[in-house]
Amino acid sequence: MTEKTSLHILLAGPRGFCAGVERAILMVEKAIEKFGAPVYVRHQIVHNPHVVSRLEEKGAIFVKQLSDIPDTQQPVLFSAHGVSKDVVAEAQERNFFHLDATCPLVTKVHREVDLHDRLKREVIMIGHAGHAEVLGTTGQLPPGQVLLVETVNDVATLQVKDPDNLAYVTQTTLSVDETADIIAALTDRFPNINAPKKEDICYATTNRQGAVKNIAPRADLFIVVGAKNSSNSNRLKEAALSAGAKNAYLIDDVTQLDWSWFEGVKTLGLSSGASAPDDLVQDIITACQERFATTMEDVIVFEEDVTFNLPRILAA
Ligand code: SF4
């Protein structure tokens, strides 16, 4: 029998589910438990196909738009990414029993947008066009009113009404480093721009990127478990590469592992996005253990103890 090649696995901590994702998933489960199936959910509750299919098995029906839902007395949930004011108005118009699973840290950004608008400031959002969270946050004001900036280059061409009466907010799941560059460009061009009191990139995004950056310099290969449409998961893969991992991949689950990636690899870095269940990471560890002589190192860079309460109607 040939001896197994050795593989050292560096497991990033924290990784995986954040408090906002835990709360959103629990809200769907509690809603089904309390009001029976089906429960309608607008948009993927969190960006992960495994979470979505597990909830579908329990009785959730995911729809793209509220117009895809028939008239019903059953609960209708908004996803963790948040929704525009138009969506809330549509749900009210149709008399839907709607429950809002928007992460409280996204709601915080919505409130900032509202406040700046009341103070007559023009709002700039740093974020990715088309992402559900960006649609929800920019949708706190009428279309076209929030200016979107995706890159440092966008800042140079930005047309504003009054350079001395501006404020910016950000998507919660951006790259900490890239966003710092964009903010620097904004404050350079508009020195009087109002910044959020506490930054909008959330603790979970910051901590997961920090943990990845801590171990990436030691990794020949870095694997991030998460969905391709998950913003924070994509940022983790980028963070691994920029911090020195020789190679990095974002995969949904163990079925997408390609063993050719492991040729010559002695150290594997492993993490997962805020919407990826940890059993998917464990599947990858198990597959590696079957193939290699593995050693494990849990590298916990930050401890987390954040939790968010459920709405009262679901808490009991
Ligand atoms: Fe909330 Fe951050 Fe998790 Fe998004 S990634 S759900 S903002 S805690």
Side-chain angles (χ1 to χ4, degrees):
M1 208 172 108
T2 51
E3 244 181 58
K4 285 179 177 176
T5 317
S6 57
L7 180 72
H8 188 57
I9 301 177
L10 300 169
L11 199 50
R15 65 178 179 281
F17 280 2
C18 59
V21 163
E22 300 248 22
R23 174 179 180 268
I25 294 171
L26 195 58
M27 278 184 68
V28 179
E29 291 171 343
K30 287 274 184 189
I32 295 169
E33 219 175 276
K34 192 158 180 183
F35 302 103
V39 157
Y40 294 92
V41 185
R42 183 190 177 276
H43 196 76
Q44 293 187 339
I45 186 78
V46 299
H47 283 158
N48 189 277
H50 291 273
V51 170
V52 167
S53 63
R54 288 171 193 180
L55 290 173
E56 277 173 340
E57 277 166 28
K58 292 182 179 174
I61 296 177
F62 290 86
V63 296
K64 286 205 175 102
Q65 302 299 339
L66 295 185
S67 55
D68 300 332
I69 303 174
D71 289 336
T72 178
Q73 304 293 308
Q74 288 299 104
V76 173
L77 280 97
F78 302 148
S79 78
H81 314 95
V83 292
S84 67
K85 285 197 172 152
D86 284 353
V87 172
V88 179
E90 189 184 347
Q92 284 165 345
E93 217 166 278
R94 291 195 59 196
N95 274 324
F96 282 148
F97 166 34
H98 58 281
L99 298 167
D100 190 358
T102 302
C103 174
L105 299 181
V106 174
T107 303
K108 162 191 167 287
V109 183
H110 290 185
R111 293 212 178 102
E112 287 165 25
V113 171
D114 254 341
L115 178 68
H116 293 310
D117 187 55
R118 269 185 276 133
L119 295 171
K120 308 281 180 233
R121 294 174 182 149
E122 194 171 16
V123 181
I124 296 166
M125 178 170 198
I126 305 171
H128 297 290
H131 187 276
E133 184 187 326
V134 171
L135 297 174
T137 301
T138 56
Q140 298 309 299
L141 300 184
Q145 207 160 307
V146 176
L147 304 173
L148 187 65
V149 162
E150 292 188 84
T151 63
V152 168
N153 288 343
D154 290 347
V155 175
T157 54
L158 204 58
Q159 306 269 353
V160 300
K161 289 184 194 131
D162 175 0
D164 291 321
N165 201 18
L166 294 172
Y168 73 83
V169 298
T170 81
Q171 194 176 332
T172 56
T173 52
L174 297 177
S175 152
V176 172
D177 297 335
E178 272 175 35
T179 307
D181 291 344
I182 298 173
I183 292 170
L186 276 174
T187 47
D188 199 38
R189 190 166 165 214
F190 310 113
N192 293 328
I193 194 166
N194 285 278
K197 279 204 181 67
K198 189 175 177 294
E199 72 167 318
D200 295 332
I201 295 181
C202 74
Y203 80 96
T205 299
T206 308
N207 291 353
R208 278 152 193 69
Q209 286 177 23
V212 164
K213 284 194 267 184
N214 182 280
I215 57 177
R218 294 164 63 198
D220 304 309
L221 170 66
F222 210 105
I223 289 178
V224 175
V225 182
K228 300 288 183 289
N229 64 342
S230 157
S231 171
N232 80 86
S233 303
N234 279 287
R235 304 297 83 79
L236 292 182
K237 181 190 138 185
E238 292 164 7
L241 287 171
S242 69
K246 293 196 184 78
N247 219 342
Y249 295 94
L250 172 64
I251 59 173
D252 275 334
D253 55 36
V254 71
T255 63
Q256 293 178 354
L257 261 191
D258 181 340
W259 295 114
S260 72
W261 301 339
F262 287 75
E263 261 167 49
V265 167
K266 292 198 164 45
T267 305
L268 168 71
L270 195 51
S271 184
S272 52
S275 41
D278 208 51
D279 59 292
L280 304 179
V281 176
Q282 297 306 323
D283 288 348
I284 288 170
I285 295 171
T286 305
C288 288
Q289 284 168 334
E290 281 163 9
R291 199 169 179 105
F292 302 102
T294 55
T295 45
M296 295 282 303
E297 190 181 332
D298 243 318
V299 188
I300 298 165
V301 180
F302 305 101
E303 300 279 357
E304 289 180 345
D305 57 2
V306 180
T307 52
F308 296 130
N309 292 335
L310 291 180
R312 207 170 305 149
I313 193 160
L314 295 176

